Amino acid sequence: METVSQLAKLGLFDARVPRYTSYPTAPHFKNAVGDRDFSNWVSALPPDSRVSLYIHIPFCRRLCWFCACRTQGTSTLSPVAAYLETLKTEIDLLAAALPSGVKLSALHWGGGTPTLLAPEMMTDLAESVFRAIPMADDGEFSVEIDPSEIDDARLDALAAAGMSRASIGVQDFDPEIQKIIGREQSFEVTQAAVDGIRARGVTSLNADILYGLPNQSRAKITESVQKLLSLSPDRVALYGYAHVPWMARRQTLIPSNLLPTPEERLTLFETARRLFLWDDYDEVGIDHFARKDDSMAVAARDGTLRRNFQGYTVDPAPALIGLGASAISRFPQGYAQNASGTGDYTKAIRAGRFATARGHAFAGQDLLRARMIETLMCNFSIDRAEIIRDWGALPEQMDSFFADVKQQFGRFVTVTDAGLEIPVDGRPLARIIAKAFDAYEMDKAGHSPAI
């Protein structure tokens, strides 16, 4: 109880801070970065190098009320077909700008609901991508799968296209909670999707589950986690539900009076966390768990884990390129985000130019601070020698950074000659501690609760 009280004093239960999937975070992107920057950054990639590619499908058959992603509902595939034609044009534009010999280290389809595509659409999109940028021999092709929006024909198409990792959304298996958040999806439907995925030789399975949902209790999250564990996913993301109805209007359909308190959110997280650890998963970063032989668990152990807009990743590629409306790219020079609306995105691509609408070019201490924040989020530590050697920090600058953080967080950080480390009981504060290295002003309303 004393530790919880100390965590509370440091803001764990009332702070709203970034998830730090980028630095600076997306609210700081400006329209000073445009399509010419994107084109130049693509062209500057080394020949014969590898890139990671994200393709955004912003359509859903149903709009789940809890979701704050940029998506739009559709009852037919007509707008999806038109969007895919634009997407294929964007793929061709990218192929023309890339240096020779570039290959994919990772390809991810996200959304939205990529699995609402008809089988022939999936095949056509995959072929368009691989014609433009071949997959490396050890590359990974992952797809977000809605268990309620998948069938044998679509699974066959994805498997034939080379899908090697599937990611399923669970959120919670309790029927009452599912109704409240607008996501009715039975365990049986989820299990059938998992069985179908594995039957096609796709052995790597990710799953997302949420804590902090309305009417969620220790007993309910225990039951949901145990059901999820019976499916034996290789990786699990245990995300905290962020209730931001001022940003995602569909969340106004979720009664805020049913949401757990911040203290209850911590209890829900710890309950689920213990269950994953008891089932012999390794803890990865602030909110992931993985089987010990999974590449993400290995990366967490050997210090090569990375973080980007998709969360934690093992992909070492120097660039993540995002295609589709609202997709974000990260290059060594900065971030570039496509126009969010499908209309503006389509207009730009059809005019023969990239759809970059805003972004951020790295300057000053951006890369130095980005690395410190990333390694805190991945390893709960900062290697002093690495930051000085590889990122241009001065020894006295590091001493100042660490002294300020030590003064603010006391026993929840440890400072030695080797660097800074967050002990286990301080890890719930990781995002708040990371904020101490963030030089940008922050609008707290735009971020999620610290727990």
Side-chain angles (χ1 to χ4, degrees), residues 196-232:
I197 290 165
R198 290 196 165 126
R200 287 159 177 83
V202 181
T203 57
S204 298
L205 179 69
N206 297 3
D208 296 347
I209 191 167
L210 295 178
Y211 69 91
L213 292 171
N215 279 354
Q216 206 172 38
S217 65
R218 288 184 66 186
K220 288 183 176 181
I221 200 169
T222 295
E223 184 176 1
S224 288
V225 170
Q226 288 176 335
K227 286 182 175 179
L228 177 58
L229 288 171
S230 74
L231 302 176
S232 195

Side-chain angles (χ1 to χ4, degrees), residues 16 24 103 143 175 217 242 273 343 357 389 448:
R16 301 188 75 91
K103 291 185 177 181
V143 180
S217 65
R273 172 180 173 270
R389 181 186 68 242
S448 60

Side-chain angles (χ1 to χ4, degrees), residues 38-83:
F38 182 94
S39 180
N40 290 338
W41 292 348
V42 169
S43 300
L45 292 169
D48 301 314
S49 61
R50 293 185 174 198
V51 299
S52 181
L53 185 65
Y54 171 76
I55 292 185
H56 188 62
I57 309 294
F59 296 95
C60 293
R61 196 88 62 182
R62 59 176 179 176
L63 293 176
C64 304
W65 303 341
F66 73 90
C67 182
C69 298
R70 287 192 173 273
T71 59
Q72 58 193 81
T74 181
S75 58
T76 73
L77 288 178
S78 297
V80 182
Y83 178 82

Side-chain angles (χ1 to χ4, degrees), residues 305-341:
L305 188 68
R306 308 230 358 238
R307 191 160 173 84
N308 62 22
F309 286 103
Q310 295 167 35
Y312 289 109
T313 180
V314 300
D315 180 30
L320 166 64
I321 300 176
L323 301 184
S326 80
I328 300 176
S329 302
R330 193 224 192 258
F331 296 94
Q333 299 89 343
Y335 298 105
Q337 182 173 21
N338 278 351
S340 295

Side-chain angles (χ1 to χ4, degrees), residues 90-338:
E90 186 181 21
I91 292 169
D92 290 340
L93 288 173
L94 175 62
L98 280 170
S100 62
V102 171
K103 291 185 177 181
L104 292 176
S105 61
L107 170 64
H108 183 75
W109 292 2
T113 309
T115 50
L116 65 69
L117 272 61
E120 60 273 16
M121 290 177 167
M122 294 175 172
T123 301
D124 187 33
L125 178 58
E127 289 177 348
S128 297
V129 170
F130 296 137
R131 274 198 306 269
I133 318 173
M135 179 71 82
D137 290 341
D138 58 350
E140 181 175 271
F141 176 18
S142 59
V143 180
E144 294 176 14
I145 291 178
D146 180 349
S148 301
E149 187 65 61
I150 195 67
D151 54 26
D152 286 341
R154 285 177 282 185
L155 281 174
D156 287 342
L158 290 172
M163 180 178 69
S164 55
R165 182 177 293 275
S167 182
I168 61 168
V170 169
Q171 323 319 335
D172 194 286
F173 283 120
D174 183 82
E176 178 192 10
I177 294 175
Q178 289 181 354
K179 287 181 180 179
I180 296 173
I181 66 173
R183 172 81 175 209
E184 295 187 50
Q185 176 184 310
S186 70
F187 173 76
E188 290 73 22
V189 165
T190 306
Q191 185 175 41
V194 170
D195 290 345
I197 290 165
R198 290 196 165 126
R200 287 159 177 83
V202 181
T203 57
S204 298
L205 179 69
N206 297 3
D208 296 347
I209 191 167
L210 295 178
Y211 69 91
L213 292 171
N215 279 354
Q216 206 172 38
S217 65
R218 288 184 66 186
K220 288 183 176 181
I221 200 169
T222 295
E223 184 176 1
S224 288
V225 170
Q226 288 176 335
K227 286 182 175 179
L228 177 58
L229 288 171
S230 74
L231 302 176
S232 195
D234 299 274
R235 299 176 187 170
V236 178
L238 175 63
Y239 292 131
Y241 167 62
H243 192 62
V244 287
W246 55 89
M247 294 176 60
R249 283 183 291 177
R250 71 188 77 162
Q251 289 188 354
T252 59
L253 297 168
I254 297 177
S256 59
N257 64 305
L258 299 182
L259 296 171
T261 65
E263 292 83 355
E264 290 168 339
R265 285 172 65 94
L266 178 59
T267 298
L268 292 167
F269 175 82
E270 286 297 331
T271 299
R273 172 180 173 270
R274 290 191 188 103
L275 289 169
F276 290 120
L277 296 180
W278 286 339
D279 212 57
D280 210 28
Y281 282 77
D282 277 3
E283 196 165 8
V284 177
I286 62 170
D287 53 17
H288 278 54
F289 302 85
R291 292 290 186 194
K292 294 185 182 300
D293 59 349
D294 184 86
S295 58
M296 185 167 283
V298 174
R301 290 195 297 268
D302 66 19
T304 59
L305 188 68
R306 308 230 358 238
R307 191 160 173 84
N308 62 22
F309 286 103
Q310 295 167 35
Y312 289 109
T313 180
V314 300
D315 180 30
L320 166 64
I321 300 176
L323 301 184
S326 80
I328 300 176
S329 302
R330 193 224 192 258
F331 296 94
Q333 299 89 343
Y335 298 105
Q337 182 173 21
N338 278 351

